[in-house]
Amino acid sequence: MPKTWNLKIDSYFQAAPNCIIATAHVDTFPIDLPLEPNIREPNRKSATYRQVFDSLTTEPEKFFSRHSGIVLSANKVKPIKNKTELELEVLEANEGGSDGIINGGHTVLGFEQAKNYKYDLTQARVKVTIHIGLTEESAKDIALASNTTTPVDSRSKVNARGDYKFIKQYLAQLEQKEDRKFRIAYYQNQSGAPRNAQCNVTHLLKLLYCLDRNKYNPDGNKRTKHPAGMSLPSNITDAERERLTALLPLLTHALWIEQRLYEIIQDYISNPRRKGANDLASIDIRKTTLLPDSKYSFGFGAPTDLALPIIASYRVFLDKDYKWILPFNEFAEDFLQHLWNNYFRKYLVSEKTAGNTVGTKISRNQEIWESLYISAQSYLNQHLMKMVNSSKQEEESHVTQSANKRAKGKRGELNATTVPNGTKKS
C-alpha cells in the first residue's frame, strides 16, 4: 500500500503540469521520507551536512534564502487543510515506485539532527520542488543531473543508471542457490554495507577483469598485456555488459582464490613457531579485513588489490570462451600453494625486509603480473606434459596387452593344428 506524508507549507504554485514548488516548514518536515531515488546516502561527516546544520541552527530565519532547496518525487500530491499542507502519496520500491528524496538527503539529515538537539526551527523554511508521477529512470536522471556541493563518486552514478543490475541479479541467484550472503556497497555512504574496499562493487569488477584472457593476453598483439593498474569504466556500455556477463560464471572462482589466499596468509602469520612476528609487507595484524562473502573475515589488514595478480595468473587456464582447460577443482589449490611458496610469499618478505609497503603499488607493478603469468604457463605446461605422458603410457600398455592377447590366440591356434607326439601320419 502507498504511504502518505503531510508537508506543512506557507504557499505553493504549479510550476509545471507535474511539478509543484512550495515553501515548507522545517520544524515539521517529515524526516523519514524514503531515499530510494537518491544516488547516495547522507554522511554526517561530510562538509555538505555540516554546512547545512550550521546554517540551520545559527540563523534559521535566513535558511530559505541560503539554501537551494529539496527535490522530491511523489506518486500523487493534493492540498489539504485549506491549502496549508500538501499530502504526498509515495509508492515504495516493491510497488514499482521510485518516490522520495531525489536531492537533499544531507539537508533532511540536518533537520533531524537539529530537532534531536532541540533547536528552535519554527522560523526556518525550505524550498521544496515536488515532481509527480516520475518513472524510475526519470527520477534517477534528475538525481544524477542535480548539482551537489560535494562530488558524487562514479560508482554511485553507475549504480543510479542501473548498470549494476546484472551483477545484483547474479549475486541474488548465488545467495539463493548456494546459501551465501554477500555484503556489497553499490553507492556512496550506503547504510548496512562495510567500508572495506574489498566489499566495494568495483572490487568485484576487478576480480572479473583479472580473468579476462581475451582482453589481457601477453601472447597477443594488444598493448594491454596484463590488467595491471586497470581503470574501471564510468559507463558500462552494452558491449561491456555483454563481456562482463560472459565472465560472471568465473566470479565464484575468483572469490574462492582471494579467500584461500587470505586463509593461507592468516595461517602463516598465526603459526606459533613465528611467535607473532609478521615479515610480510603491508599485512597489518592490528586491523581486520572483510571479504564480499559474509562468511569470511580475517584478523589482519591487507591492500585491496593484494590478490589481483594471483587471480589474473589463473587466466592461463582459460580458453577463449572462458572455460577452464583443466577442471578448476583439480588444480586450483595446488597451483595457489605453488605461487605462494615459490614466489608471492618471497616477494612480500623481500619488500618488508627492504622497508617497503606494497599497497596500490602491487596493482601497477608489471613485473609481478608478468612473473606470476609465466609461472602459471610453466605450471600448465608441466601438467599437460604429465597428462600426455600418462596417456602415452596407457596407450602403450593397451597396445602391449592387445599384442599379448593376439600372441596367446595364435599359440592356441598352433597347438590345435599340430600333430600330437607319438601319432603317426597316414
Side-chain angles (χ1 to χ4, degrees), residues 6-186:
N6 289 352
L7 203 64
K8 189 175 180 180
I9 60 170
D10 286 340
S11 60
Y12 77 94
F13 68 95
Q14 195 89 26
N18 294 312
C19 179
I20 289 175
I21 297 179
T23 303
H25 291 224
V26 171
D27 60 335
T28 58
F29 194 93
I31 57 176
D32 56 346
L33 281 166
L35 271 166
E36 185 65 27
N38 209 300
I39 61 177
R40 61 177 174 184
E41 292 190 18
N43 179 11
R44 282 185 171 84
K45 297 181 180 179
S46 70
T48 301
Y49 166 75
R50 291 195 298 270
Q51 289 169 4
V52 169
F53 184 80
D54 292 343
S55 176
L56 178 64
T57 55
T58 54
E59 295 182 283
E61 68 281 0
K62 295 183 179 180
F63 187 75
F64 182 87
S65 60
R66 293 177 175 177
H67 192 271
S68 60
I70 298 170
V71 182
L72 305 178
S73 172
N75 186 48
K76 295 178 182 177
V77 179
K78 67 177 181 180
I80 59 174
K81 296 183 179 179
N82 295 325
K83 299 183 180 181
T84 60
E85 290 187 13
L86 294 176
E87 183 181 85
L88 313 180
E89 181 184 276
V90 171
L91 290 179
E92 296 186 274
N94 58 9
E95 298 173 307
S98 186
D99 297 334
I101 301 172
I102 293 179
N103 190 32
H106 287 95
T107 304
V108 177
L109 180 64
F111 294 172
E112 178 184 9
Q113 196 70 356
K115 290 178 183 180
N116 290 339
Y117 286 127
K118 308 300 182 183
Y119 282 95
D120 183 5
L121 305 178
T122 54
Q123 300 300 314
R125 300 290 185 269
V126 64
K127 183 181 80 172
V128 181
T129 302
I130 308 168
H131 295 279
I132 304 168
L134 287 179
T135 63
E136 180 181 0
E137 290 73 19
S138 297
K140 289 182 177 179
D141 182 64
I142 294 173
L144 280 167
S146 299
N147 293 322
T148 54
T149 305
T150 54
V152 178
D153 65 15
S154 60
R155 171 194 52 169
S156 299
K157 295 178 180 179
V158 173
N159 181 69
R161 285 192 292 263
D163 288 353
Y164 293 142
K165 278 187 177 180
F166 74 105
I167 296 179
K168 294 178 182 178
Q169 291 170 353
Y170 183 79
L171 292 180
Q173 292 171 359
L174 273 184
E175 286 183 336
Q176 186 175 11
K177 180 181 177 181
E178 302 182 5
D179 191 25
R180 303 169 76 174
K181 181 65 179 176
F182 293 97
R183 42 193 174 198
I184 309 295
Y186 294 98

Side-chain angles (χ1 to χ4, degrees), residues 16 29 43 49 68 85 90 94 99 107 140 170 233 252-253 255 280 294-295 351 368-369 388 391 395 412 415 418 420:
F29 194 93
N43 179 11
Y49 166 75
S68 60
E85 290 187 13
V90 171
N94 58 9
D99 297 334
T107 304
K140 289 182 177 179
Y170 183 79
T252 53
H253 299 119
L255 291 170
L280 304 179
S294 62
K295 291 187 297 184
E351 290 293 323
I368 298 170
W369 299 79
V388 170
S391 178
E395 185 177 346
N415 290 336
T418 301

Side-chain angles (χ1 to χ4, degrees), residues 179-199:
D179 191 25
R180 303 169 76 174
K181 181 65 179 176
F182 293 97
R183 42 193 174 198
I184 309 295
Y186 294 98
Y187 55 88
Q188 209 168 343
N189 308 325
Q190 181 178 333
S191 60
R195 293 188 178 274
N196 289 68
Q198 285 90 341
C199 298

Side-chain angles (χ1 to χ4, degrees), residues 192-204:
R195 293 188 178 274
N196 289 68
Q198 285 90 341
C199 298
N200 191 321
V201 65
T202 57
H203 183 65
L204 295 186

Side-chain angles (χ1 to χ4, degrees), residues 268-282:
Y268 179 79
I269 63 178
S270 302
N271 191 325
R273 289 175 298 177
R274 298 179 50 75
K275 299 180 180 179
N278 172 32
D279 58 0
L280 304 179
S282 296

Side-chain angles (χ1 to χ4, degrees), residues 300-313:
F300 63 88
T304 310
D305 296 344
L306 181 70
L308 297 189
I310 284 185
I311 293 172
S313 67

